[in-house]
Amino acid sequence: MSRQSLSKAHEKITELSWEPTFATPATRFGTDYKFDKSPKKDPLKQILRSYFPMEEEKDNRVFGAMDGAIRGNMFRQVQERWMEWQKLFLSIIPFPEISAARAMPLAIDAVPNPQIHNGLAVQMIDEVRHSTIQMNLKRLYMNHYIDPAGFDITEKGFANNYAGTIGRQFGEGFITGDAITAANVYLTLVAETAFTNTLFVAMPSEAAANGDYLLPTVFHSVQSDESRHISNGYSILLMALADEDNRQLLERDLRYAWWNNHCVVDAAIGTFIEYGTKDRRKDRDSYAEMWRRWIYDDYYRSYLMPLEKYGLVIPHDLVEEAWDRIYNKHYVHRVAQFFATGWPVNYWRIDAMTDKDFEWFEHKYPGWYDQFGAWWEAYSRLAYPGKNKPIAFENVGYEYPHRCWTCMVPALIREDLVVEKVDNQWRTYCSETCYWTDAVAFRPEYQGRETPSMGRLTGDREWETLHHGRDLADIISDLGYVRDDGKTLIPQPHLDLSDPKKLWTLDDVRGIEFGSPNVTLNNMTESEREAFASSYRSNPNRTPSTAKV
Amino acid sequence: MNAPVKQAPAKAPQSFPKPEFTGAEAGMQTFPSSTSRSYNYFKPQKMRATVYEDVTIDVQPDPERHLSQGWLYGFAKSPGGYPQDWTVLKSGNWHAFLDPNEEWEQTIYRNNSNIVRQIELNLQNAKEAGAYAHWSPTWIRFVADNVGAWMHAEHGLGMHVFVSAQRSAPTNMINNAVCVNSVHRLRFAQDLALYNLDLSESIEAFDGKAHKDVWKSSPFWQGVRENVERLTAIGDWAEAIFATNVVFEPLVGVLFRSDLLMQIAARNGDYITPTLIGAGENDYNRDLRYTRALFSLLANDAEYGEANRAVMQSWLDKWVPVSRHAAVELQPIWSQPSERTITFAESFAAATADFNTLIADFGLTSPKEK
Ligand SMILES: [Fe+2]
Ligand SMILES: [Fe+2]
Ligand SMILES: [Zn+2]
């Protein structure tokens, strides 16, 4: 189509909507934002007549690449260390994708602008595309990768696992609560505009370095839809900024959305990239370096900061704090260590780190070895069953952390632990901002103003509570993380499948009692709790080097 | 900022990762679960799961299935996730519904691409062949007014019934089917709008703006507009889909598209409009398949079937009169074309017969005409 006919076509399509007079669309989802003063801002336009063939063409390339990968025996060159983490990642990501589709009516309800409605409806079907294409990629992995265990229970694992839950809030945040908080600020302004860069660009390039070129094919195809979604969100933001009353809410929501995305996405993707790779070239960017480029420079400095001139209050402090956590406070490394500590209740295997990895980490994150080196050596030493229990239940000088009630990643930066009684329950938080999210932001009133549409934190948010006082073997078998011989565990703290004696079974973990830190915390007296909190904060949780043990 | 900042290198790395043989291919070793190559957390309908089942089932979790910690976020006044009480219909097992069209990424894009390609080709051929030259002034006006007005109905229902409803059902299978339904209608609305644009450019006497006034104020169309607007105002997602696909579509949509346009266009020298309308009809038939499967399942639910049928019957009592009224108000357009090959009574009888067959499948009966 010529440019002129394209603009005529766009013009024509705007004629489809009308002002109803008999009845107006049901508003199913509320918002405390107001748009009656907003001038209409239009997003990138898309005509379905050209949209469908364009996407079909992209799909054909993806399916072509899949055929090619199988014919070319791609899996003979794929790193198991990498693929194992895909069992977690690909169990999580189709849900946020489909949730993004489900979020579109929230935004459509809230924003009176038919042009934005059109953009959001196209985004809706894009997101169905993303969700199902990712499920299909995972199916291919299950069929062709050496160890299908974990892929085979994927959505069940996602739904009953502590790490799946961390990821699940990322999708639930799109579809619940105040429509604009959820479907605009959390989903589009932060998750899509900032964090899809690490999800769909940084991670695929790491996949390629580990022999997997299908993940990049699929995820670049996904990412190519993202600019339209970002444009939808930007148009809604500009409309929201037109009303001064919205600014206080935008400030609140950006703080919540930024911080929660950081806690969740950096924990997961940071771990996949830093601990899933075998590529230890020194000139390969670390996650922190990628983050600095994609999030700090491209998002924070080039996208968020210019919005200050429209009156948007930007959470500068939280951007700096996130960077500080990633680079100086070793956030990602603590998360990876925690995942590896919890290996018996995972549905994937985690490879140990070796000297080559140590050297790279020390190069990229000075001080890494001091904090984590001896622990990973202990992890290797305790990798096989028979003589020892899983590392979490051996004394290696690692104290099992408390979970953050809000982001559900544990409070791993121990000095930042917050302990507060909220809704009549003692809760722990990884940071002041996560405490604020629960105690201040997700409430019916904010800074003296009524916020009747704001959502609530719900659910059994501490995973361990569900399993408190039970036998580890029973927990694992109830979760379904057992292989088809009925006894060998899906998770293993190593990659060696060649020797059955090296594979942990239910018998190897029977007799170990599992406990919930939160239940314990709520049973403490006041003085016990204070003592606990201060010792938690001051414990560096550093494994002594083997020489001293 | 106090953290030491390492600037990301501006240039690409100097070295490249080296591929190595890992032997991580299926079948290269035997160990427990080494052949466990199917998703094992749901029971497929047949022996082997289809791709559709694999990519759809359990992606939207459910506390009644594997979800162990419950929904993590709630609305201010109701639980989050996908509450089952967002419709008054009940099911012993919502997950029993599978989309008979098995829609997923590949089918959605293939199907819709084929349709738009075919439409574009038809319109191009029509222009080159001068197919509009023989249209009479009354037919030109008929298409501008009425085919034009219909685009709004498609758009309104697509955007405010189906896009909206795909947030609300308890399973991914239902929501995806509804979602695909919404893009069919939005696409078809655009197909009609762009056809209208094409005609304005090809036929001098064609009034490309007329459809807006006709839709907003022609007395013939106000019943249809009222029906559409009221459908968008329904809060219960199942009622919205039922009142649209089971009531409005047969009694008004099919009546207008199949029982009028498809019957008379050719006699008025128009071979093009039917190809477009046929695409919309084809979409509706496809969407009717999932609609029929869904409401049959609910009507025949072992535990709730009877109660569900009573609810659906009450929906018929509420919505059939609205759609009958819309149909009857449209009646005058039957006499607008110069070549009238079918009467309103004949068209309406055909539409009503199909409607009665459809609801009989659910064990429901048509409310008496008043
Ligand atoms: Fe997406
Ligand atoms: Fe997106
Ligand atoms: Zn937190």
Side-chain angles (χ1 to χ4, degrees), chain B residues 42-288:
Chain B
F42 64 88
K43 198 174 165 323
Q45 204 170 39
K46 306 218 173 89
M47 285 285 286
R48 272 180 71 90
T50 61
V51 177
Y52 161 74
E53 289 175 294
D54 275 348
V55 302
T56 314
I57 295 175
D58 286 326
V59 173
Q60 174 182 313
D62 185 341
E64 290 184 4
R65 286 177 62 78
H66 311 299
L67 185 59
S68 65
Q69 289 174 260
W71 294 106
L72 304 168
Y73 289 93
F75 290 100
K77 292 192 183 72
S78 69
Y82 296 85
Q84 294 187 359
D85 63 5
W86 283 1
T87 175
V88 296
L89 297 183
K90 290 191 166 56
S91 171
N93 177 17
W94 283 106
H95 296 263
F97 170 81
L98 295 177
D99 179 3
N101 300 319
E102 311 210 318
E103 299 277 14
W104 68 293
E105 172 253 3
Q106 206 170 34
T107 62
I108 297 168
Y109 290 94
R110 276 191 185 164
N111 178 42
N112 283 286
S113 299
N114 285 339
I115 294 172
V116 296
R117 269 194 294 266
Q118 187 169 359
I119 288 175
E120 261 186 308
L121 204 62
N122 289 345
L123 295 183
Q124 207 183 317
N125 289 341
K127 254 191 210 167
E128 280 162 16
Y132 309 124
H134 309 295
W135 285 18
S136 68
T138 42
W139 185 252
I140 289 173
R141 173 128 192 242
F142 183 88
V143 173
D145 286 2
N146 302 312
V147 177
W150 187 255
M151 70 171 85
H152 300 287
E154 293 290 341
H155 179 79
L157 295 172
M159 188 65 75
H160 296 293
V161 170
F162 294 98
V163 172
S164 185
Q166 60 88 43
R167 163 68 184 86
S168 300
T171 76
N172 205 39
M173 288 72 86
I174 303 173
N175 286 328
N176 275 3
V178 176
C179 186
V180 173
N181 192 158
S182 75
V183 292
H184 287 158
R185 308 206 74 131
L186 294 171
R187 195 217 69 236
F188 185 46
Q190 292 192 1
D191 292 341
L192 292 174
L194 297 177
Y195 179 48
N196 183 285
L197 181 62
D198 241 31
L199 293 175
S200 330
E201 286 169 352
S202 307
I203 306 174
E204 210 171 323
F206 190 91
D207 181 355
K209 298 280 171 212
H211 65 93
K212 293 201 282 187
D213 281 339
V214 171
W215 178 247
K216 260 188 261 174
S217 43
S218 155
F220 315 149
W221 281 94
Q222 296 319 291
V224 178
R225 184 163 68 86
E226 178 176 0
N227 195 343
V228 167
E229 289 181 9
R230 287 180 57 184
L231 291 170
T232 68
I234 301 172
D236 179 311
W237 65 267
E239 181 182 356
I241 294 169
F242 185 89
T244 305
N245 278 355
V246 177
V247 182
F248 173 83
E249 269 301 312
L251 292 179
V252 183
V254 175
L255 171 80
F256 175 71
R257 294 187 306 255
S258 280
D259 297 321
L260 175 63
L261 285 175
M262 301 293 273
Q263 309 302 321
I264 63 167
R267 287 295 289 267
N268 284 278
D270 177 0
Y271 300 93
I272 308 306
T273 305
T275 65
L276 232 92
I277 296 296
E281 227 28 28
N282 178 60
D283 289 340
Y284 171 61
N285 286 329
R286 197 173 171 107
D287 292 323
L288 187 58

